[in-house]
Amino acid sequence: MEKFEHKLNEYAKLTIEVGINLQKDQPLVISAPVEGVEFVRLLAKYAYEAGANDVFINWSDDTLTKLKYENAPFEVFEDFPKWKQDTMIYYAEKGAGFISIHSDDPELLKDIDPKKIAVANKASGIGMKEFRKYTMNDINSWCVISIPTKKWASRVFKDVDEETAVEMLWDAIFKATRMDLDNPVEAWKEHVKSLEDRSTFLNEKEFKTLHFTSSNGTDLVIDLPEGHIWQGGASKNIKGIQFVANMPTEEVFTLPHKNGVNGVVYSTKPLNYGGNLIDDFKVEFKEGKVVNFEAKVGHEILKDLLDIDDGAKYLGEVALVPYSSPISQANIVFLNTLFDENASCHLAFGRAYPTSIKNGEKMSDDELSKLGVNNSLTHEDFMIGSEDLSIIGETKDGEKIQIFKDGEWAI
Ligand code: ZN
Ligand code: ZN
C-alpha cells in the first residue's frame, strides 16, 4: 500500500478503536461531508471489522447548504424537522457510537444574511436539545474528528493550489493526531495518561478561583463551583467503556461557576462559528454575564451568538492547553475549532458539560443551575491562550499556586 493510503487506513482504525472504542454489536452513526466519502467507507469497513452491527451515515454538503441559505425562504430556517432528532435518538437508544467529521468551509456563509443563520442555529439548538444529552452527558460514546475538504484546505493554505492545500492539511492533521509517530495507538495511550495526571492534580487541589492574566490585556477571575471536576484525555460512557471525544485533544477542562466570572478577556485566535469568522475580540464579564464585547471581525455574528438565549451570555467551560502543544507548534490557524481549541487555552459561551460537576449527569437542569452549572442551547469555544498567559489558582485555604506560567503548565 502506498504510504498515504496506509496512513489513511491507520487514521480510520485509530478513530474506531481509540476514538469511539467500538464494541461488538454496537451501531455507529457517522456525520460526514459527502466530499469525504472515501474516508467514510474506510471508517465503516473498520467499524464492521470491530463488530459494529450497523453503520448509518448522516451526510452533509457545503454547496447544498449554501444553496439552501441563498434560496430557501426565512420560515424554512425557523423550522427544524423533528425526524432529524428522532433519527439520532433512535440510534442513541440502541447504544450507538457517534462520529462527527467537522470539515466545513470556514467562510461558507460569509455573504448570507446573519439573521437567517441566527434563526437556523437557534432552531437546530432547540430541535436537537434532547439528543444532545446523550453526548454531553456521556451516555453514548462520541468522537469528533476532521478530514480536509478542498474549500477548507484552501482557506488555511492560501498560496498554493487546491490539491497541494489538501495534502498540506492532511499532513497537519496527521501530526496533530499523532499519526506521524511509529505507534499512534500507544502514543495516544501515553498522551491520555498525561492529561489524566494533570486532571488528578487539579482535582485534588479543589481550586476556588483561577486568575488569568496576559500582556494582551486579559485580566479575568473565574470562580469554580463546589464539586467541579477537571477532565482530560478519555471519557467513559454509561456502560463504563472508555472513548476519546475529540481527536486531537490537548485540553484539561472543567466549568466556571455560572455567576462567578469577572474581568476582561481577549481572543487570541479566530473563531469559526457556523460558516463565519469572528476575530480579534474582547469580552467583559460581571458576575458571570457578558456585559460588554467588541469584535474587529464578525461583531454582528458574535452578537447573534450571545443573543441565542440568556445562557449564551455566560460561560460553560474553562480549558487549559499549553502554548507548546503540538497543534500550537505547527503554527497553523486551522479555522476549525476542533484544532484551534486544542492549540490554546479556551473558554466556552453557553452550556456546561453536566459531567464537569459531581453527579451532574444524574441531575435535572434546575438542580444543575442551583450549583452554578450554566445551561444554554449553545456551547461555543473561543481561544484565549497566549505565550505569556499566567494562571494562578487559589484554594479554599487561601493557598496560591501558579498553574500556568508563560503559556505553559507550571505544575
Ligand atoms: Zn474544550
Ligand atoms: Zn468546548
Side-chain angles (χ1 to χ4, degrees), residues 37 57 89 106 120 125 144 186 198 201 312-313 348 362 382 388 407:
V37 62
I57 319 294
I89 290 179
V144 182
E186 255 332 288
R198 303 251 193 240
F201 175 88
K313 296 173 199 70
K362 298 181 193 117
F382 63 100
D388 66 354

Side-chain angles (χ1 to χ4, degrees), residues 130-185:
E130 285 309 308
F131 169 67
R132 228 174 10 250
K133 283 190 185 152
Y134 292 92
T135 51
M136 282 195 92
N137 291 8
D138 290 347
I139 295 169
N140 294 64
S141 307
W142 54 285
C143 179
V144 182
I145 58 160
S146 288
I147 55 171
T149 51
K150 288 177 192 156
K151 279 278 165 54
W152 173 30
S154 305
R155 304 272 190 215
V156 178
F157 302 104
K158 289 194 182 73
D159 306 326
V160 296
D161 61 77
E162 222 170 50
E163 203 181 320
T164 312
V166 167
E167 276 170 26
M168 288 169 80
L169 190 51
W170 265 123
D171 203 48
I173 288 175
F174 284 153
K175 282 205 178 90
T177 51
R178 296 177 161 72
M179 282 297 309
D180 59 329
L181 303 178
D182 285 342
N183 189 339
V185 172

Side-chain angles (χ1 to χ4, degrees), residues 203-409:
N203 283 329
E204 279 167 2
K205 290 289 172 196
E206 297 181 60
F207 286 106
K208 200 165 61 93
T209 64
L210 304 177
H211 187 185
F212 288 70
T213 51
S214 168
S215 64
N216 65 9
T218 289
D219 188 352
L220 190 72
V221 178
I222 294 180
D223 298 343
L224 302 178
E226 191 87 31
H228 69 269
I229 298 170
W230 289 93
Q231 293 169 274
S235 313
K236 276 194 179 128
N237 71 14
I238 203 164
K239 290 180 182 152
I241 307 291
Q242 184 169 303
F243 66 96
V244 178
N246 284 357
M247 294 184 103
T249 182
E250 302 290 333
E251 66 176 345
V252 171
F253 71 96
T254 187
L255 80 177
H257 190 290
K258 182 186 170 179
N259 302 116
V261 183
N262 289 284
V264 62
V265 69
Y266 284 76
S267 73
T268 52
K269 279 174 191 290
L271 162 60
N272 168 14
Y273 176 56
N276 271 294
L277 290 180
I278 307 169
D279 199 5
D280 230 329
F281 59 99
K282 72 162 182 179
V283 189
E284 275 176 67
F285 293 89
K286 201 173 173 213
E287 288 168 8
K289 191 174 183 177
V290 175
V291 288
N292 196 14
F293 63 93
E294 234 178 83
K296 293 207 174 113
V297 177
H299 185 82
E300 281 304 303
I301 307 286
L302 177 57
K303 184 174 182 302
D304 289 336
L305 163 60
L306 297 173
D307 279 344
I308 284 188
D309 56 17
D310 197 49
K313 296 173 199 70
Y314 292 81
L315 296 182
E317 178 185 344
V318 48
L320 310 185
V321 180
Y323 198 71
S324 66
S325 93
I327 306 169
S328 178
Q329 295 266 300
N331 229 338
I332 298 166
V333 178
F334 284 84
L335 307 173
N336 176 319
T337 301
L338 174 62
F339 291 86
D340 294 332
E341 72 161 310
N342 280 304
S344 173
C345 283
H346 56 272
L347 305 170
F349 296 117
R351 185 167 175 81
Y353 288 92
T355 52
S356 293
I357 200 150
K358 247 175 225 153
N359 298 319
E361 62 279 6
K362 298 181 193 117
M363 293 180 196
S364 68
D365 284 352
D366 271 355
E367 289 171 304
L368 288 168
S369 174
K370 278 188 195 123
L371 296 175
V373 180
N374 190 28
N375 192 5
S376 169
L377 293 170
T378 195
H379 174 101
E380 204 53 49
D381 290 354
F382 63 100
M383 284 56 79
I384 62 155
S386 66
E387 67 187 314
D388 66 354
L389 180 70
S390 151
I391 306 171
I392 292 171
E394 189 175 340
T395 65
K396 281 183 221 161
D397 318 325
E399 187 193 356
K400 287 190 179 171
I401 296 170
Q402 182 108 38
I403 300 171
F404 256 59
K405 191 176 190 295
D406 293 329
E408 299 297 324
W409 284 109

